[in-house]
Amino acid sequence: MAGKPKLHYANGRGKMESIRWLLAAAGVEFEEEFVETKEDLEKLRKDGALLFQQVPMVEIDGMKMVQTRAILSYIAGKYNLYGKDLKERALIDMYVEGTTDLMGMIMQLPFQPPEAQEKNLALIIERAATRYFPVYEKVLKDHGQEFLVGSRFSWADVHLFEAILMAEECKPDILSSFPQLQAFKGRISNIPTVKKFLQPGSQRKPPADDKLIAKVKKIFNI
Amino acid sequence: MTGKPKLTYFNGRGRMESIRWLLAAAGVEFEEEFLETRAQYQKLIKDGALLFEQVPLVEIDGMKLVQTRAILNYLAAKYKLYGKDLKERAQIDMYVEGTTDLMGMIITFDFTPPKQRNLALIIERATTRYFPVYEKALKQHGQEFLVGSQFSWADVQLLEAILMVEEREPTVLSKFPLLQAFKARMSNIPTIKKFLQPGSPRKPRPDDQYVATVMEVLKKD
């Protein structure tokens, strides 16, 4: 028993990546067990390890936690990245839901029919540039603080940072009209735990390639 | 200024219904503004009322809260329906995410072209993936409520999910005796009993008119 959280998921980003980011940002070491085949998934299910038959699953503090948001909320709460009171938590929740929606669109892209991908990529870029990034740009501009909520590093900052990097992978100059976000990105990159996670050899996963996509489709019957 | 929370959404269930349920269960009165036209929606956006240009919107305690889960989390905590500590909150979150996924299938169902709808899948998921979990939870601890022997958001959402699935398949609880008993117990809680009565803010099942209004206002193809 290492006492470290143990993550069960495919060997790729998907819904687990935000959890990896949050643990890493909090400076928490974790172990990973990868679901490589349908049999691996079936075994977890048969063992009763997956409450709703689904991954992500994170073993932490004696619990087998499932459901991405539940896991993220628990980690944020446990490691003091969830604001100082109810109202700050509400702000963090709102901001995180926004970046979740944006990253969700990007995550789904490889699983969509090839004919739809170009159109959907364009929609992602449009949404990032007109619906999501302007919100965070304005928040930072309005209060002039380093972090999104309560002048303190929180889950919202980690999540926004992850979303920015993902969006930049879609379009490298996507932050060109967002000076506050550019500065934000620079600042967050330099936080030691984040810096460490950005380095090669960390548990951060690369974007999905065709091989992984094919594997995931097979394991999860997509 | 009444001090009551104000809900802005279409005049129907959608993503706002879980919020109505939670407020009602907590005994909190609220006001509603219904979105009926695209012009109304665009005005809300122009006025900067919608953080991500989307509803639900709930104005409460000086905030314009958007994003269903953010709103529900806030309400659950504010009205003490979110457990007593982090671990109970984690349990509640897991249970709620499950019922959210199940209800999400039904919400999507009404907006799916009739030829592509798959009610059988929803019922299968309800009876093999979701309801067994809650049946087992109740069986294992033998308590009245899902988490911590205390009424919580998880109980409200489970009741809502049960009723929603029963509307599509009335016998869906036939193999779940504990959920049947749970349903009866929850229905008798005074605030919930009141919400279940005609004339309450509870919304009826979506009909074609509702679907058409939503599509028109949001200009979805």
Side-chain angles (χ1 to χ4, degrees):
Chain A
M1 275 288 280
K4 292 183 193 171
K6 188 171 181 193
L7 279 50
H8 295 261
Y9 201 67
N11 189 356
R13 289 182 180 176
K15 287 181 184 279
M16 188 61 99
E17 194 70 352
S18 293
I19 295 168
R20 296 182 185 108
W21 266 103
L22 189 54
L23 285 167
V28 177
E29 284 184 24
F30 56 91
E31 294 177 350
E32 300 198 75
E33 194 170 291
F34 298 120
V35 174
E36 300 274 6
T37 63
K38 234 192 251 216
E39 289 70 42
D40 288 343
L41 181 63
E42 281 316 308
K43 181 173 192 303
L44 280 171
R45 285 173 169 167
K46 263 227 284 288
D47 290 347
L50 307 178
L51 190 65
F52 300 111
Q53 316 306 324
Q54 298 164 315
V55 286
M57 190 268 277
V58 174
E59 297 181 69
I60 183 169
D61 298 338
M63 298 182 285
K64 286 183 164 59
M65 284 202 73
V66 297
Q67 294 287 356
T68 312
R69 265 187 201 77
I71 297 165
L72 287 165
S73 293
Y74 181 76
I75 295 168
K78 177 172 174 158
Y79 295 105
N80 292 313
L81 294 168
Y82 218 163
K84 71 178 197 297
D85 58 27
L86 259 188
K87 283 201 170 184
E88 285 196 353
R89 215 161 83 195
L91 283 177
I92 290 168
D93 278 340
M94 275 197 289
Y95 296 155
V96 159
E97 289 292 310
T99 39
T100 296
D101 284 349
L102 177 58
M103 287 197 279
M105 291 175 81
I106 299 176
M107 214 185 289
Q108 297 229 13
L109 198 55
F111 295 92
Q112 277 155 355
E115 329 69 87
Q117 286 196 21
E118 198 184 316
K119 184 174 130 209
N120 287 327
L121 178 60
L123 180 63
I124 287 167
I125 291 167
E126 192 210 318
R127 283 277 154 84
T130 62
R131 177 175 285 188
Y132 295 106
F133 288 161
V135 169
Y136 304 98
E137 179 80 4
K138 179 173 196 281
V139 166
L140 291 168
K141 185 164 192 205
D142 284 352
H143 62 43
Q145 306 288 339
E146 279 192 64
F147 304 110
L148 282 171
V149 178
S151 308
R152 226 172 77 164
F153 184 51
S154 79
W155 174 21
D157 301 301
V158 184
H159 219 243
L160 174 58
F161 184 70
E162 185 192 357
I164 285 172
L165 294 184
M166 261 184 119
E168 282 184 328
E169 282 170 350
C170 294
K171 183 171 193 283
D173 64 349
I174 203 164
L175 284 195
S176 57
S177 314
F178 303 106
Q180 299 281 340
L181 291 181
Q182 290 174 39
F184 172 85
K185 179 191 164 192
R187 285 196 301 275
I188 304 300
S189 307
N190 274 316
I191 292 175
T193 50
V194 174
K195 195 169 189 165
K196 190 171 170 201
F197 194 59
L198 287 170
Q199 262 142 31
S202 84
Q203 284 157 300
R204 187 183 178 209
K205 301 295 174 274
D209 59 16
D210 289 334
K211 197 159 144 228
L212 177 66
I213 292 163
K215 196 202 285 196
V216 166
K217 282 184 176 176
K218 195 160 160 212
I219 298 172
F220 297 100
N221 270 341
I222 300 173
Chain B
M1 276 287 280
T2 58
K4 290 185 197 171
K6 184 176 167 198
L7 280 49
T8 302
Y9 199 67
F10 310 100
N11 188 356
R13 290 182 182 174
R15 293 177 183 280
M16 188 61 99
E17 194 71 351
S18 293
I19 294 168
R20 296 183 184 106
W21 265 98
L22 188 54
L23 283 165
V28 178
E29 283 183 25
F30 54 90
E31 296 176 348
E32 301 201 72
E33 189 173 300
F34 298 122
L35 274 192
E36 322 223 271
T37 67
R38 186 154 176 79
Q40 236 182 316
Y41 172 58
Q42 284 169 325
K43 180 173 191 304
L44 278 172
I45 292 178
K46 206 153 113 230
D47 291 347
L50 307 178
L51 190 66
F52 300 112
E53 305 175 326
Q54 297 164 317
V55 286
L57 163 67
V58 173
E59 296 171 73
I60 184 169
D61 297 337
M63 297 181 288
K64 284 182 165 55
L65 287 184
V66 296
Q67 292 290 354
T68 312
R69 264 187 204 75
I71 297 164
L72 288 166
N73 286 356
Y74 182 77
L75 296 174
K78 179 178 167 132
Y79 298 110
K80 310 243 179 299
L81 295 169
Y82 218 164
K84 70 178 196 296
D85 57 28
L86 253 187
K87 279 202 169 182
E88 285 195 355
R89 213 163 86 197
Q91 270 302 310
I92 290 168
D93 277 339
M94 282 194 279
Y95 289 153
V96 159
E97 289 290 316
T99 41
T100 296
D101 284 349
L102 177 57
M103 289 195 281
M105 291 178 82
I106 297 177
I107 291 174
T108 307
F109 182 86
D110 291 319
F111 286 84
T112 304
K115 284 208 175 88
Q116 292 164 35
R117 291 178 183 175
N118 190 351
L119 181 60
L121 178 64
I122 293 175
I123 303 304
E124 192 211 318
R125 283 279 154 84
T127 54
T128 63
R129 178 174 287 191
Y130 295 107
F131 289 163
V133 169
Y134 304 97
E135 179 81 5
K136 183 176 179 206
L138 291 168
K139 186 165 193 194
Q140 277 186 336
H141 60 47
Q143 306 286 342
E144 281 192 63
F145 305 110
L146 281 171
V147 178
S149 309
Q150 217 188 66
F151 183 53
S152 79
W153 174 22
D155 301 301
V156 182
Q157 186 117 328
L158 176 57
L159 176 67
E160 185 192 357
I162 285 171
L163 294 179
M164 248 180 137
V165 181
E166 276 187 331
E167 276 174 344
R168 312 290 167 137
E169 177 44 76
T171 66
V172 76
L173 283 196
S174 57
K175 297 198 167 70
F176 302 103
L178 294 180
L179 290 183
Q180 292 174 36
F182 173 87
K183 176 191 162 191
R185 280 198 308 277
M186 293 303 124
S187 304
N188 274 316
I189 290 174
T191 49
I192 292 180
K193 197 168 188 169
K194 189 172 168 196
F195 192 59
L196 289 171
Q197 259 141 34
S200 84
R202 186 181 179 212
K203 300 295 172 278
R205 252 179 84 161
D207 57 16
D208 290 333
Q209 165 106 9
Y210 170 73
V211 173
T213 303
V214 173
M215 308 274 270
E216 170 56 35
V217 170
L218 298 181
K219 274 279 182 288
K220 279 185 193 284
D221 318 303

